[in-house]
Amino acid sequence: MAERAKPPERKPEAKAPAPRSSGGASSPAPATTTRGTARRRSTDRSRTPWKPRPRSTAGARDDLREARGAFVDDPAQAVEQADALAEKMTDALVNALTERRAELRSAWSAEEPDTEALRLALLEYQSYVEGLIDLTK
């Protein structure tokens, strides 16, 4: 009787990395517990400045394009539209910045943080401030 050929060995398929969040005003990293102390997962974001991502920016470019297009027919109304859009965008940016600061503060101020939690908080603040510096360039 002839021997049957063995099927080739299958290598386990590599899992695709989990999608990363776009940053900004999204929710903070999940907390992990070490010796009863809640803290954030250790991710060094200090090399990547935080960038605000206001939620209500959808359609802003279209609104600006519309205001510019309306200039020929009614320049004053076009400028008023642009001003209203600037106010909306400024408010959205301020809200995103305020939310992020609240997230940062809650990471270390709610309980007696250990040194590692404070180190991670400092890295998050570094990322936040560097992102603000980048906004002013």
Side-chain angles (χ1 to χ4, degrees), residues 3-87:
E3 270 188 53
R4 294 173 82 184
K6 291 183 182 177
E9 287 186 36
R10 296 182 106 192
K11 294 182 181 176
E13 292 182 25
K15 291 184 180 179
R20 298 180 78 184
S21 93
S22 63
S26 64
S27 61
T32 59
T33 305
T34 304
R35 296 183 193 168
T37 304
R39 65 178 184 186
R40 294 176 184 268
R41 284 194 186 140
S42 177
T43 54
D44 186 2
R45 294 183 189 161
S46 62
R47 293 186 189 136
T48 306
W50 174 82
K51 299 221 183 329
R53 306 244 192 271
R55 291 186 186 111
S56 58
T57 59
R61 289 192 194 281
D62 292 337
D63 293 346
L64 183 58
R65 195 174 302 117
E66 183 180 317
R68 290 182 59 174
F71 185 81
V72 173
D73 295 330
D74 191 349
Q77 178 64 30
V79 172
E80 287 178 17
Q81 281 180 292
D83 180 62
L85 177 60
E87 181 179 21

Side-chain angles (χ1 to χ4, degrees), residues 111-127:
E111 59 182 72
E112 280 290 321
D114 61 9
T115 304
E116 178 63 7
L118 293 172
R119 183 187 74 80
L120 294 173
L122 184 57
L123 288 174
E124 292 289 331
Y125 274 106
Q126 178 181 345
S127 173

